[in-house]
Amino acid sequence: KNIEGVEIGLLFYCKDNQELKVGFRSKNVDVSTVAQKFNGGGHQRAAGCCLQGDCEQLKKTILHTCQRILNN
């Protein structure tokens, strides 16, 4: 999040390709709204969620959701 031009920082942790933990960080975007879309929670600038399913597909879904939020 400290890199120029980066609005949302994401940390993905995949366990056995069936459980994905995601950490969201931002200086300017309310990432708690993103986490809530995936039954997670947190604060405006730091949030997270844990999902079950194929990690690669879940990553794509989360990235797509973040891109939509940034484009609005």
Side-chain angles (χ1 to χ4, degrees):
K1 74 178 186 180
N2 290 327
I3 299 171
E4 185 177 332
V6 173
E7 295 294 326
I8 298 175
L10 301 169
L11 175 66
F12 295 109
Y13 174 76
C14 185
K15 181 178 178 183
D16 299 326
N17 199 37
Q18 291 303 310
E19 179 181 25
L20 181 67
K21 294 182 180 184
V22 186
F24 303 90
R25 300 295 183 270
S26 180
K27 287 185 179 179
N28 303 314
V29 178
D30 183 354
V31 290
S32 69
T33 61
V34 181
Q36 288 170 0
K37 291 180 185 295
F38 298 101
N39 296 319
H43 303 279
Q44 286 184 343
R45 304 297 174 240
C49 64
C50 185
L51 304 164
Q52 300 296 318
D54 179 78
C55 289
E56 291 305 314
Q57 185 58 45
L58 292 170
K59 287 180 191 178
K60 289 177 186 177
T61 302
I62 290 169
L63 288 170
H64 180 71
T65 301
C66 290
Q67 288 172 336
R68 279 198 335 246
I69 288 172
L70 291 173
N71 290 331
N72 286 335

